[in-house]
Amino acid sequence: MRERTLTMDTLNPQVKAVEYAVRGPIVLKAGDLERRLQQGDKQPFTEVIKANIGDAHAMGQQPITFLRQVVALCCFPELLDSPAFPDDAKQRAKRILQDCGGQSLGSYSASQGVECIRRDIADYITHRDQGVPSDWNNIYLTTGASDGIMSILKLLVSGQGSSRTGVMIPIPQYPLYSAAISELGAVQINYYLDEANCWALDIEELQRAYLTAKQHCQPRVLCIINPGNPTGQVQSKKCIEEVLHFAYEENLFVMADEVYQDNVYSSDCQFHSFKKVLCEMGPEYFNNVELASFHSTSKGYTGECGFRGGYMEVLNMDAQVKAQLIKLLSVRLCPPVSGQAAMNVIVNPPKVHEPSYAQFTKEKSSVLDALAHKANLTEQTLNSVPGIKCNPVQGAMYAFPQIFIPPRAIQEAQSLSIAPDMLYCLKLLEETGICVVPGSGFGQREGTYHFRMTILPNPEKLEILLEKLKKFHLRFLEEYSQQEPQITRTTEEQHRQKSKQPD
Amino acid sequence: MSSVQHVNPRVRGIRVSPHGALQSLAAHITQELITGAQKPFKEVIDVSSGDPHKTGMKPISFVRQVLAVCLYPELLKDNSLPVDVRLRAQRLLEVCDGESVGSYTASSGLLHVKQSIADFIMRRDAGVPSYAKDIFISAGSQRALMVVVKLLVSGEGATQTGVLTPIPCPHTLPMLLDEAGVTLVPYQLIEDRGWTVDVDELHRALKTARGRCELRAIYISNPGNPTGHVQDRKSIEEVIQFAAAERLLLLVDEVQQDSVLGHSREFISYKKVLFEMGKEYCETVELVSFTSLSSACMGECGLRAGYMEVVNMDPEVMLFVDTMLCTDISTPVTGQLALDLMVNPPKPGDPSCDMYTQEINLIRATLSQNAQRAQEFLNGLPGMSCQPVMGGIYLYPHLQLPSEITEQAKELEVEADVLYCQRLLEEEGVFVGAGCQHGGTTGNHHLRFCILVPPHTLEEVLARLGSFHLRLWADVRTLTEVCEESRQTSFNVKGYWKKKVFVWEPAVRTDRKIRNIRLCVLAPPVTLEEVLALLRSFHLRLLG
């Protein structure tokens, strides 16, 4: 038989190295279990609860009415005559359509996005940052934040050997970063967040990571996720100043992943944008530090993941480099225009005097209040379980508790060639139907184990989840503190198979 | 500050398409018009890309209605919308997690939609089986292509992956290959045979790649973008045999499969032909076919959705298609749902069926009439000739340019067809694509423009293009005549375009001394003849 052109031997080695934990084997397994349940298979649970990904609507969060009205109107403009839609929604939709080619969401937009939406975003940022100016020419609409992050990283990776671009990322990190770094063949530089200190970013650790890496690569990019994913910490202003000062000193391009900027729950925390802090540090900083900040429709109070809307603001980029960025963005033609429209609503919500204001405000605070409640509930409950330790969920949408895994379970995992927390999460899924992601997919200090769970299920379901989790954990501790672990042949084989699946 | 030297060489290496510069110029002119500048036209008409809605083609009502209901499910109760619209929206919402278009989907797309696509392909290919697991939905066919190309990339220098690429090819392809780090190995489509694929030419191209790169795939666009050629079964078989013999993966752009015109040709998918070629082929040849929501009848470019069907790919490798798509997390959901509506439209008896059919028929009739009209018109212009169009949404006429234009282009260091497009845009406000963006030129010049536009827009485009083209030829003639004449009267003329200004440098011989006079004649050159007349009389007076 004719040999294939594309085989595991000939596959691009950089592609082979890519892993994507939040969509890895656990998630495939969860899908599989869900299908089997639907087909009437007997399982020790009646539903699979997917707490693996920040997918708010999938967990029952309701969309913001105003946003959907505007996008529906843009989609089918005949509805502009319908009395069922409020005037402010119609006015927004007309304005967006005015700037779309042929007044249709179906036309390509410029690669950087629809102009009026870029302008609105700049106004929104200016307002958010209490007057720090934002130039709409620095705004680029993206296909979710990921597209922006990928594009900037792709732009900045160069050099060979010891001059190869190094990208500093927090550990734990969101796997998009490690996947992108693998795919681009950049050098990943880990700086560890301080778990003992609410996952704060420690400037000395940043320096240590930088100096160590400098011996074998050229660190050029510093990625920050604030509020943190998966760690949920919200950075203090002082900490941001330190980071920016460091970036200034070492000439690093700062990538600020600020997609959770509206998700801050702890009353003693506040979101500070990197840009605003940079401005307050004075013109020497504000006119020099290269900064890209990312935002998205997927998080916040809208949770519109399916729209794939997002933007980035890019500061202090050299004009020639900017030309290269625009060229790069043009290869992918344009971000989805419906997602751009959704982004527009987020940056241009109903104003006090407008008809939709009351309902909008109510819906927005209802979502954010519920999230704050669930953040607290999750932290409290997890900390009540022996062998689980969870930092406060100050922001974002996840808890990232540390779990104690008994040595015997670690041995078993090793014999199956999987990470111990992967074993933990697989068992949790098989026994309870709860789908969470092992900490090893995000990175963690050696010898520590974690998982990431979202706080998105509705309160009743979240309570059930936490209760089941608690029971499972105690059972797990008990099982593995006993004598010889009982591994039946079949589960062993199953695990072997699983470990073959791609991460 | 990061300097351009530190930018990823891959990114730097992406060729600069003249399209970008023309686009900026078009935007600039539009801006000038808005701020009240006086021009011989009121608006810029952009037919440079396959973007039907932009020029005023209407979306399919059924598609937009269903999407609107999915976006705002309150509309499920709205009796003014047809019942099948609401039922369909209800069904589609059920397949979304949390019954919301705001949820992520699996990275390769919603299973329900993938199944609809597989069913559609099976119907299209008269029963050749198609499976949902082999369908990958992505944010446009360009994205799907990038994923597959990335899998193929490896090596450097002589071992770098190469892809056999038709010339002309879709204008977005060369940039994509540059970004991926793939060597573009050109094969020429045969223009005077209606842009057919020629196997001898494929073999010739193959030889040129030896020692230069490692050829691993061949790209085909059928119906052809930009050529409008539709391959017949025999031609497809030849390409498949060639790919099989040379162990090349087939990358087939079948985006315009719904746009075959008239009855002389029908669209036959590569997959169908492959499966009818017997075991040695149908079980081994690796094939990826790309389709898009930006197709002729839908024209929903802005929704960014497309899909690919993967045939005979190593299952282990296929897992990496999924992994690569994970970086995108998922394809925009409204786009995915629109794909479902595209492959599974209303059926006879459904309330929306008549209107749907009418709208589709209108689009197809417009396309067909426009193609006819535009070909006839262009073939009537001096220096312009157009191969018969069988499908697709573009015309790609051959453009013969007066040597003066090509010389001006040389001086300005631009391609002559770009210069043509630039002047057409400046003088008549019509934006068409330059042939050189389709993978390089061999001294031949072409234009590409989208003909899926409302008929009155096409008329306007043709009228403006025609008057510009005739003027260009007339100007050149006048200039040449004057030159001829002036040689007898010791009068030597050299003229060229610099930015927007026509610079004319006659060398005037008086009393055995040669003096250069530089004259500027502002565009548009309607006044050129007058200026020439003045100059002629001035000169003669001087001599006299």
Side-chain angles (χ1 to χ4, degrees):
Chain A
M1 180 156 152
R2 173 182 170 267
E3 201 190 324
R4 284 193 170 96
T5 305
L6 194 50
T7 63
M8 287 308 281
D9 291 334
T10 59
L11 180 65
N12 180 352
Q14 284 172 4
V15 168
K16 237 188 274 184
V18 174
E19 290 182 20
Y20 214 84
V22 280
R23 291 189 164 237
I26 292 269
V27 185
L28 294 178
K29 173 99 189 161
D32 189 37
L33 284 173
E34 208 165 30
R35 255 191 307 283
R36 279 200 252 158
L37 274 178
Q38 276 167 2
Q39 288 160 4
D41 242 29
K42 260 258 186 276
Q43 298 291 340
F45 46 86
T46 53
E47 70 168 328
V48 173
I49 307 180
K50 286 189 194 156
N52 59 297
I53 188 162
D55 192 358
H57 290 205
M59 291 281 104
Q61 183 181 310
Q62 291 306 301
I64 299 291
T65 306
F66 185 70
L67 184 148
R68 291 303 191 85
Q69 286 173 331
V70 173
V71 186
L73 286 165
C74 289
C75 188
F76 188 53
E78 253 115 299
L79 294 169
L80 286 165
D81 300 326
S82 161
F85 289 80
D87 284 345
D88 45 356
K90 288 180 185 172
Q91 175 259 329
R92 298 291 194 288
K94 279 184 201 156
R95 189 156 169 278
I96 294 168
L97 287 176
Q98 209 80 66
D99 247 28
C100 292
Q103 304 215 12
S104 168
L105 288 189
S107 303
Y108 293 112
S109 75
S111 304
Q112 300 100 308
V114 175
E115 185 176 317
C116 80
I117 301 179
R118 295 170 75 197
R119 288 177 185 275
D120 284 356
I121 292 170
D123 290 347
Y124 165 80
I125 295 172
T126 307
H127 181 73
R128 179 198 70 189
D129 292 342
Q130 283 138 27
V132 177
S134 173
D135 179 353
W136 71 273
N137 287 299
N138 294 334
I139 308 287
Y140 304 81
L141 273 299
T142 54
T143 311
S146 327
D147 169 43
I149 293 168
M150 258 326 255
S151 302
I152 295 290
L153 281 175
K154 187 173 284 166
L155 188 71
L156 297 177
V157 173
S158 67
Q160 291 302 327
S162 62
S163 70
R164 189 74 180 156
T165 296
V167 180
M168 304 188 70
I169 60 169
I171 297 294
Q173 53 109 21
Y174 180 61
L176 168 67
Y177 291 94
S178 52
I181 290 168
S182 297
E183 193 187 319
L184 296 168
V187 180
Q188 178 173 327
I189 306 169
N190 297 337
Y191 67 88
Y192 289 84
L193 300 174
D194 186 0
E195 184 165 17
N197 191 14
C198 284
W199 296 113
L201 192 160
D202 174 20
I203 201 75
E204 280 171 25
E205 166 60 13
L206 207 56
Q207 273 152 355
R208 178 207 62 79
Y210 176 83
L211 289 174
T212 317
K214 199 140 180 31
Q215 293 164 8
H216 62 271
C217 71
Q218 182 57 52
R220 293 185 53 218
V221 185
L222 170 57
C223 301
I224 308 279
I225 312 174
N226 178 50
N229 175 6
T231 41
Q233 85 286 12
V234 178
Q235 268 182 285
S236 69
K237 191 170 166 192
K238 182 170 161 289
C239 176
I240 296 174
E241 277 171 5
E242 285 173 355
V243 170
L244 286 170
H245 178 73
F246 173 75
Y248 171 81
E249 291 286 314
E250 305 299 352
N251 217 355
L252 297 173
F253 190 109
V254 180
M255 291 176 65
D257 180 338
E258 301 182 319
V259 299
Y260 296 100
Q261 56 187 272
D262 289 322
N263 299 100
V264 176
Y265 314 119
S266 296
S267 51
D268 49 349
C269 292
Q270 200 193 330
F271 170 75
H272 301 278
S273 78
F274 267 66
K275 184 181 172 199
K276 178 156 180 272
V277 176
L278 188 66
C279 178
E280 287 165 359
M281 287 169 75
E284 180 55 23
Y285 290 91
F286 193 51
N287 297 329
N288 282 302
V289 176
E290 292 161 278
L291 171 68
S293 158
F294 305 91
H295 198 15
S296 151
T297 58
S298 308
K299 311 301 169 189
Y301 54 92
T302 52
E304 296 283 11
C305 308
F307 281 83
R308 316 304 305 119
Y311 73 77
M312 58 183 173
E313 183 184 26
V314 184
L315 299 183
N316 293 323
M317 185 176 267
D318 174 88
Q320 280 180 293
V321 178
K322 194 170 164 177
Q324 296 291 328
L325 173 64
I326 292 171
K327 182 179 71 176
L328 175 64
L329 292 174
S330 75
V331 180
R332 58 102 163 100
L333 306 177
C334 73
V337 181
S338 45
Q340 298 188 43
M343 196 72 237
N344 187 250
V345 178
I346 295 176
V347 299
N348 192 6
K351 297 184 178 64
V352 186
H353 58 275
E354 289 182 314
S356 300
Y357 181 77
Q359 192 186 353
F360 172 81
T361 313
K362 197 172 136 220
E363 290 175 353
K364 176 178 171 180
S365 46
S366 136
V367 171
L368 291 175
D369 291 349
L371 284 171
H373 167 70
K374 291 187 284 192
N376 191 43
L377 175 73
T378 307
E379 178 205 334
Q380 300 293 329
T381 316
L382 289 174
N383 280 328
S384 74
V385 186
I388 296 186
K389 212 171 73 201
C390 184
N391 270 320
V393 182
Q394 297 170 336
M397 293 177 168
Y398 316 96
F400 195 67
Q402 185 170 148
I403 45 176
F404 170 72
I405 296 189
R408 205 174 295 285
I410 295 174
Q411 278 167 25
E412 182 179 323
Q414 277 160 356
S415 71
L416 298 166
S417 306
I418 56 174
D421 44 15
M422 174 66 91
L423 175 75
Y424 182 93
C425 293
L426 278 171
K427 290 215 158 229
L428 175 68
L429 177 62
E430 283 163 8
E431 292 179 24
T432 66
I434 298 171
C435 180
V436 299
V437 190
S440 44
F442 302 89
Q444 54 202 350
R445 286 230 181 246
E446 217 184 310
T448 68
Y449 304 106
H450 300 79
F451 63 80
R452 185 188 82 164
M453 64 169 279
T454 70
I455 56 166
L456 293 171
N458 67 49
E460 300 83 64
K461 202 179 258 186
L462 184 62
E463 274 178 46
I464 298 171
L465 183 156
L466 290 167
E467 195 51 41
K468 281 183 167 183
L469 179 68
K470 190 172 178 175
K471 284 191 184 139
F472 165 80
H473 186 77
L474 295 174
R475 213 161 52 232
F476 185 83
L477 288 187
E478 199 185 301
E479 188 185 333
Y480 284 100
S481 55
Q482 282 165 4
Q483 291 302 300
E484 278 304 295
Q486 305 266 307
I487 312 171
T488 64
R489 180 173 282 273
T490 51
T491 53
E492 193 174 3
E493 269 170 15
Q494 275 172 9
H495 285 313
R496 282 233 179 91
Q497 286 211 313
K498 264 166 232 150
S499 61
K500 265 194 240 156
Q501 287 172 330
D503 283 332
Chain B
M1 205 181 272
S2 307
S3 66
V4 76
Q5 288 79 28
H6 287 124
V7 166
N8 190 341
R10 267 293 163 66
V11 175
R12 263 186 289 154
I14 301 174
R15 68 198 68 196
V16 178
S17 165
H19 190 74
L22 289 171
Q23 226 167 8
S24 309
L25 180 61
H28 176 73
I29 294 172
T30 304
Q31 202 53 42
E32 284 182 331
L33 287 169
I34 290 171
T35 50
Q38 286 301 308
K39 306 243 176 214
F41 49 89
K42 286 203 184 71
E43 51 161 6
V44 172
I45 305 176
D46 178 359
V47 284
S48 66
S49 50
D51 192 356
H53 291 191
K54 182 179 266 170
T55 51
M57 293 300 287
K58 293 279 167 271
I60 302 292
S61 303
F62 179 73
V63 172
R64 294 304 189 89
Q65 286 172 328
V66 175
L67 291 184
V69 179
C70 291
L71 282 161
Y72 189 53
E74 283 287 299
L75 294 171
L76 284 168
K77 292 177 257 171
D78 186 336
N79 291 328
S80 67
L81 290 167
V83 67
D84 58 338
V85 163
R86 287 178 283 143
L87 283 172
R88 191 59 176 279
Q90 178 71 55
R91 176 74 192 109
L92 291 176
L93 283 173
E94 279 163 15
V95 305
C96 297
D97 284 348
E99 302 206 0
S100 168
V101 296
S103 300
Y104 289 123
T105 71
S107 298
S108 60
L110 289 161
L111 183 61
H112 173 84
V113 181
K114 295 204 290 180
Q115 190 58 56
S116 296
I117 293 169
D119 294 346
F120 158 77
I121 293 174
M122 238 168 111
R123 284 197 305 275
R124 181 197 69 189
D125 292 344
V128 175
S130 172
Y131 305 100
K133 68 172 175 58
D134 299 331
I135 310 289
F136 295 86
I137 296 175
S138 65
S141 59
Q142 185 83 352
R143 177 62 197 153
L145 177 63
M146 183 55 120
V147 167
V148 178
V149 169
K150 269 194 190 157
L151 300 182
L152 285 168
V153 173
S154 68
E156 269 171 44
T159 63
Q160 187 175 44
T161 298
V163 174
L164 269 179
T165 306
I167 302 298
C169 64
H171 75 289
T172 48
L173 182 64
M175 293 177 81
L176 184 143
L177 295 179
D178 290 341
E179 185 188 331
V182 163
T183 306
L184 183 160
V185 180
Y187 67 91
Q188 194 66 46
L189 299 172
I190 313 301
E191 179 164 14
D192 55 17
R193 283 191 266 140
W195 295 112
T196 47
V197 183
D198 179 72
V199 179
D200 293 338
E201 168 62 12
L202 291 180
H203 283 288
R204 185 205 59 79
L206 193 79
K207 281 200 195 99
T208 66
R210 288 214 180 110
R212 207 155 71 82
C213 64
E214 195 88 39
L215 267 187
R216 300 185 62 200
I218 175 170
Y219 185 95
I220 301 274
S221 173
N222 181 52
N225 169 5
T227 62
H229 175 73
V230 179
Q231 280 182 283
D232 61 17
R233 176 181 296 271
K234 184 168 163 286
S235 169
I236 294 174
E237 279 173 358
E238 285 172 358
V239 173
I240 292 175
Q241 282 159 354
F242 172 79
E246 304 300 335
R247 287 188 51 207
L248 299 175
L249 189 139
L250 274 162
L251 300 167
V252 189
D253 161 0
E254 296 180 326
V255 170
Q256 305 294 353
Q257 57 186 278
D258 63 347
S259 66
V260 177
L261 307 165
H263 304 289
S264 58
R265 278 283 153 87
E266 56 168 342
F267 170 77
I268 317 173
S269 78
Y270 264 72
K271 187 183 168 200
K272 179 157 188 274
V273 175
L274 178 65
F275 274 72
E276 288 165 358
M277 281 173 73
K279 271 195 165 187
E280 79 218 83
Y281 294 102
C282 78
E283 288 178 1
T284 61
V285 176
E286 292 153 271
L287 165 75
V288 186
S289 157
F290 303 89
T291 310
S292 166
L293 197 58
S294 315
S295 67
C297 292
M298 292 293 130
E300 295 284 7
C301 310
L303 294 182
R304 310 302 308 125
Y307 64 84
M308 58 179 163
E309 184 183 25
V310 172
V311 179
N312 289 327
M313 189 182 273
D314 183 328
E316 273 190 277
V317 173
M318 258 165 87
L319 288 175
F320 283 91
V321 176
D322 245 325
T323 308
M324 293 305 286
L325 285 169
C326 273
T327 332
D328 303 353
I329 310 188
S330 56
T331 298
V333 176
T334 43
Q336 295 194 44
L337 301 184
L339 281 176
D340 192 78
L341 302 169
M342 172 173 94
V343 297
N344 189 8
K347 294 186 174 53
D350 293 348
S352 300
C353 189
D354 284 352
M355 189 168 178
Y356 176 87
T357 313
Q358 272 169 27
E359 288 175 346
I360 294 283
N361 287 345
L362 179 65
I363 290 170
R364 298 181 64 90
T366 304
L367 184 58
S368 165
Q369 284 155 16
N370 283 356
Q372 193 68 28
R373 163 79 181 126
Q375 284 177 83
E376 279 168 16
F377 182 89
L378 295 178
N379 283 331
L381 290 176
M384 190 91 91
S385 64
C386 195
Q387 292 294 321
V389 172
M390 302 170 180
I393 59 170
Y394 305 103
L395 282 197
Y396 194 65
H398 183 275
L399 187 62
Q400 195 194 327
L401 288 170
S403 60
E404 283 77 1
I405 293 290
T406 48
E407 274 159 31
Q408 281 165 28
K410 249 181 232 157
E411 288 190 46
L412 296 171
E413 295 180 345
V414 293
E415 292 288 345
D417 47 12
V418 175
L419 181 64
Y420 183 97
C421 293
Q422 184 189 325
R423 286 186 53 188
L424 174 62
L425 186 51
E426 284 166 342
E427 294 171 29
E428 293 287 350
V430 170
F431 181 11
V432 301
C436 66
Q437 67 182 344
H438 297 277
T441 50
T442 45
N444 277 321
H445 305 298
H446 294 87
L447 302 175
R448 183 189 83 156
F449 65 98
C450 178
I451 47 168
L452 187 49
V453 301
H456 65 90
T457 307
L458 182 76
E459 285 308 321
E460 182 70 27
V461 167
L462 294 180
R464 292 194 200 178
L465 176 72
S467 93
F468 166 78
H469 190 81
L470 290 172
R471 203 164 62 227
L472 184 78
W473 279 74
D475 282 349
V476 168
R477 264 183 227 141
T478 320
L479 197 59
T480 318
E481 277 161 25
V482 174
C483 289
E484 289 300 314
E485 195 181 317
S486 52
R487 262 181 215 126
Q488 295 162 11
T489 53
S490 58
F491 189 72
N492 217 338
V493 189
K494 194 175 137 203
Y496 56 88
W497 282 89
K498 196 156 196 174
K499 297 217 167 125
K500 287 186 191 171
V501 177
F502 193 84
V503 182
W504 206 38
E505 279 186 351
V508 184
R509 194 183 302 155
T510 48
D511 307 332
R512 297 187 182 179
K513 278 184 191 166
I514 297 175
R515 286 184 197 152
N516 280 305
I517 306 170
R518 177 172 289 196
L519 296 170
C520 293
V521 184
L522 280 175
V526 252
T527 54
L528 187 62
E529 244 169 290
E530 295 168 40
V531 174
L532 290 175
L534 282 172
L535 188 72
R536 192 187 289 132
S537 66
F538 163 78
H539 186 73
L540 291 173
R541 232 176 23 244
L542 196 76
L543 288 179

